[in-house]
Amino acid sequence: MKFNTKTIHGGQKPEPITGAVMPPVFMTSTYAHTAPGEPQEFEYSRGGNPTRTALENSFAAIENGTHGFAFSSGMAAIDCVLRTLSPGDEIIAGDDLYGGTHRMFTKLFQKYGLEFIFVDVSKEVRVAAAITKRTKLVWLETPTNPLMKIADIEVICTAVKEVNPAILIAVDNTFATPYLQQPLTLGADIVMHSATKYLGGHSDIVMGALMVKDAKLAKELHFIQFAAGAIAGPMDSFLALRGIKTLHIRMQRHCENGRAVAAFLKNHSKVEAVFYPGLEDHPSHGIAKKQMKDFGGMVSFRLKDASEEATFKFLKGTKLFTLAESLGGVESLVNHPVTMSHASIPEAARLKIGITASLIRLSVGIEDIADLLTDLENALHT
């Protein structure tokens, strides 16, 4: 199937008893056994639920994987990956990460003996150069949050596997979505999504996803999911599956509007810099063009007036861009990384990579572009 068809039909089939085209919401915790020690397909909903299974099959299909896993949040999905490691193992990760990921790495798993090495993943040679005998995982975001850096997934995977084929490579594909890029096809072992964002698409669920191709790795991840229990519930699974069915048409508008917003900001007299891989002067525009179908709906920028007063005036001046956490919904959102999504990262670490107080991140929705540009223009002149 082509991707646009996979979002609707991938991994799906009518419910076998009633023929329901959409999988019912199975609100049950347990299932009858035919005899002692003889469960049917489902035994207990922590291990599997028909609604969640339908979603997980869809997850696998849209990322060209063989196995998908639905978690109670994106952080729970990341937690599952890290639980495959042991004390003393090293993880190479991008220096520009979602704040919650950085917090989990440095304030939680470091206490359990994992070591994290942060590098600029847009410079591929730095990833390979950081590998040691203890390296077990490479964690990539691309585009990164919030500076929109691009990692060349295929080049990094090839370089890492040449050093040590056993090193796992995981890609947080939340910003791009499988509509724009498919890391498993480019050589990655694990794809992670905060399905709260574009996969759900309507800001009404919190969910995480993992997708893999390797059966042995899938078995390990499923055991951790079952044993630790951070599963997605049936109602959220139903909503996420409904969201995926329109992912392709939503992403077309997100990309269209994202390009227009980036161009508008780039040419605005009050804007100092725009971070968007679709701009030709973006340092990794060529890589983005090679591995992505389009450039997405996430745009970050800095105001020329770097004062807190000017930044906060803009943040409070938008009407259609709602000041809120998260991203990827049909509605446009504006985020201030320093006080919101990346507030948990120490100031020195933020400043080192360029997350300044005047940095603003936009999640460009699917509203009429003329209205969005008017909203930004009005806020810039507040």
Side-chain angles (χ1 to χ4, degrees), residues 178-193:
Y179 176 79
L180 299 181
Q181 69 185 13
Q182 295 170 343
L184 294 180
T185 303
L186 297 173
D189 300 292
I190 302 170
V191 172
M192 174 268 167
H193 286 269

Side-chain angles (χ1 to χ4, degrees), residues 17 25 63 95 114 237 314 324 344:
I17 296 177
V25 183
E63 280 286 7
D95 58 0
L114 298 184
S237 296
F314 175 84
S344 63

Side-chain angles (χ1 to χ4, degrees), residues 32-39:
H33 291 214
T34 55
E38 296 181 15

Side-chain angles (χ1 to χ4, degrees), residues 78-85 91 104-105 109 114 116 137:
I78 298 172
D79 176 83
C80 181
V81 175
L82 294 182
R83 286 173 187 263
T84 66
L85 306 177
I91 300 92
M104 175 178 279
F105 286 179
F109 275 92
L114 298 184
F116 295 88
L137 174 68

